[in-house]
Amino acid sequence: MTSVDRWQLPDGIEEVLPAQAATVEQLRRRLLDMFRSWGYELVIPPLVEFTDSLLSGLGQDLDLLTFKLTDQLSGRSMGVRADITPQVARIDAHSLAPEGVSRLCYAGSTLHTRPKSLMASRSPIQLGAELYGDDSLAADVEVIRLMLATLDAAELDAAYTLDLGHVGVYEAVLATADLDEAQEAAIFDCLQRKSVPDLLLALDNVPEDIATLIIGLVDLHGDDEVLVAARELFADRVPQALIAVDALQDVATDIRRQCPDLSIYFDLAELRGYHYHTGIVFAAYVPGRGQALANGGRYNGVGEVFGRSRPATGFATDLKSLMGLLPATQERQGAISMPDSDDLELLAKVAQLRAEGEIVINNLSSEPDSRCDRALVHSDGEWLVQEI
């Protein structure tokens, strides 16, 4: 291995250097403090867990994203977390086991075996919030509002759009068709890609009236007119789908009361996380980025594998992605140089300055640190800060 190879990092794995690290940490603190003000309590799940619990209830996608290893103590399979959501669900269901509503939040590094999109990181710093124990649309609205407040608090240098969907629409349509697993998987894949030619092939043996309903899902995306079109399409054949459509309308109405200028986009064929989501799904997008900046949804019953089936809704975002949309960093804070001395008055002055938020750097050489624009100088019997 050459010296060049030794400093290279794996594709999709990046280090965060001082200026960026300071931004990420300030953002993390600001957002977690905001979550706390909404009543969300911080939890810190472990970096690795047994795969029996880590991969429970959230589908094959998470399994494929998870690095696995063998625990040398127990011989059992462990995974490095690719998503913190199932860990928080375990904490709610087993470690805390509250009777009523619980609100939990978290922030921590995750690791993916492969990037979720072409330019995505394989080592996101995931931050999110989960609300357990309430199955109402009001709980979904609260979490969506918290997600929007998170993006506002991050002070991003970009406008964003709220994308709303509901897996109940697809489930209701699918329930009218007698499909085997292979057909369902093929149709699901085509809808994810919104590929009508492939969808027509997948529906070759499906009755025409049912095929028309499934194909109709592809075009059900856009503004509020989408909900009008959905009611017309499903009114006679799939009335059960109208429950989900009405829920989307109610959620959008509630969100607009607080955010009247927010752009809302409906997508009734949005099946992200379909295998574990059970209701409303939502995401925030910014122009020019195909990957959601933040996303979430309702995932009732995920705690059942831990002994307590609980209603649940939540969202997550990647602090690295948020950092990439922040305005250009302002000039960094200056610092104060101090002589390398054990003078008690000097040390007291340094402690005072640091408590006030100043950066004070011990000068170990003839030249002060390059960040220093001021220096502590002893004059007239006291230590004073002077410009360099």
Side-chain angles (χ1 to χ4, degrees):
M1 180 179 291
T2 67
S3 59
V4 174
D5 295 326
R6 293 183 188 280
W7 58 258
Q8 289 184 332
L9 293 172
D11 289 344
I13 305 294
E14 58 281 314
E15 55 203 357
V16 184
L17 299 178
Q20 293 176 314
T23 300
V24 168
E25 178 60 14
Q26 290 168 6
L27 190 58
R28 185 191 69 86
R29 294 179 188 178
R30 186 192 317 162
L31 295 179
L32 288 179
D33 284 345
M34 187 191 72
F35 289 174
R36 179 177 178 274
S37 73
W38 283 54
Y40 287 75
E41 298 178 286
L42 179 66
V43 293
I44 305 177
L47 183 63
V48 296
E49 287 197 35
F50 292 126
T51 53
D52 293 346
S53 63
L54 191 64
L55 303 180
S56 295
L58 291 187
Q60 184 182 16
D61 292 345
L62 186 59
D63 188 20
L64 294 175
L65 282 175
T66 302
F67 278 98
K68 302 178 183 68
L69 60 154
T70 301
D71 180 16
Q72 296 299 307
L73 295 180
S74 67
R76 294 172 61 185
S77 174
M78 295 196 305
V80 180
R81 65 187 182 198
D83 189 329
I84 301 178
T85 302
Q87 296 184 290
V88 182
R90 175 187 55 75
I91 289 173
D92 170 75
H94 178 72
S95 301
L96 295 176
E99 291 303 321
V101 173
S102 65
R103 293 173 171 86
L104 303 175
C105 64
Y106 59 85
S109 293
T110 58
L111 184 64
H112 297 167
T113 56
R114 63 192 72 183
K116 286 187 173 181
S117 63
L118 186 61
M119 302 301 293
S121 170
R122 288 202 293 156
S123 55
I125 303 175
Q126 185 179 334
L127 174 138
E130 316 291 335
L131 190 156
Y132 299 96
D134 192 303
D135 198 21
S136 69
L137 283 181
D140 293 312
V141 170
E142 176 180 320
V143 170
I144 293 171
R145 284 178 171 165
L146 181 58
M147 181 183 77
L148 299 178
T150 297
L151 301 182
D152 289 340
E155 300 177 351
L156 306 179
D157 193 17
Y160 55 84
T161 296
L162 174 64
D163 186 289
L164 287 177
H166 197 303
V167 299
V169 175
Y170 177 67
E171 288 177 342
V173 172
L174 210 64
T176 65
D178 185 19
L179 304 176
D180 59 35
E181 288 187 12
Q183 282 179 306
E184 184 176 337
I187 291 169
F188 177 85
D189 177 64
C190 296
L191 284 173
Q192 286 283 80
R193 295 183 286 110
K194 291 183 168 57
S195 173
V196 174
D198 291 339
L199 188 55
L200 288 171
L201 290 174
L203 293 169
D204 185 43
N205 296 320
V206 175
E208 183 177 351
D209 57 341
I210 296 174
T212 299
L213 293 173
I214 295 175
I215 293 171
L217 287 171
V218 175
D219 294 325
L220 291 179
H221 57 89
D223 60 18
D224 292 59
E225 291 301 314
V226 167
L227 303 185
V228 176
R231 290 189 177 98
E232 292 176 356
L233 180 63
F234 301 133
D236 296 328
R237 290 301 311 274
V238 197
Q240 193 68 20
L242 300 185
I243 298 174
V245 174
D246 290 342
L248 285 172
Q249 183 69 73
D250 290 344
V251 167
T253 299
D254 282 352
I255 294 297
R256 282 177 173 141
R257 288 195 187 102
Q258 181 175 338
C259 309
D261 298 326
L262 177 66
S263 175
I264 297 181
Y265 186 91
F266 298 96
D267 188 347
L268 303 197
E270 173 53 68
L271 301 176
R272 178 188 64 253
Y274 168 73
H275 297 296
Y276 63 91
H277 277 138
T278 60
I280 293 280
V281 291
F282 48 87
Y285 289 90
V286 294
R289 291 202 176 198
Q291 191 75 16
L293 186 60
N295 61 269
R298 179 159 290 281
Y299 57 105
N300 290 350
V302 71
E304 184 175 0
V305 295
F306 306 114
R308 296 181 78 232
S309 181
R310 297 259 284 168
T313 181
F315 84 94
T317 186
D318 174 20
L319 287 177
K320 290 183 181 178
S321 294
L322 293 184
M323 179 187 65
L325 290 173
L326 291 176
T329 305
Q330 298 179 351
E331 187 175 348
R332 63 182 178 179
Q333 178 183 355
I336 301 170
S337 177
M338 63 169 283
D340 183 29
S341 167
D342 59 1
D343 182 282
L344 295 182
E345 291 185 5
L346 170 64
L347 297 180
K349 180 67 174 181
V350 168
Q352 175 192 337
L353 290 168
R354 286 173 174 163
E356 294 170 353
E358 293 283 2
I359 299 172
V360 184
I361 302 175
N362 193 23
N363 186 5
L364 299 176
S365 63
S366 58
E367 295 293 330
D369 187 283
S370 61
R371 290 169 288 174
C372 294
D373 54 6
R374 291 156 293 162
L376 275 166
V377 177
H378 195 258
S379 176
D380 296 330
E382 61 179 330
W383 288 97
L384 303 174
V385 178
Q386 296 183 358
E387 299 288 333
I388 296 179

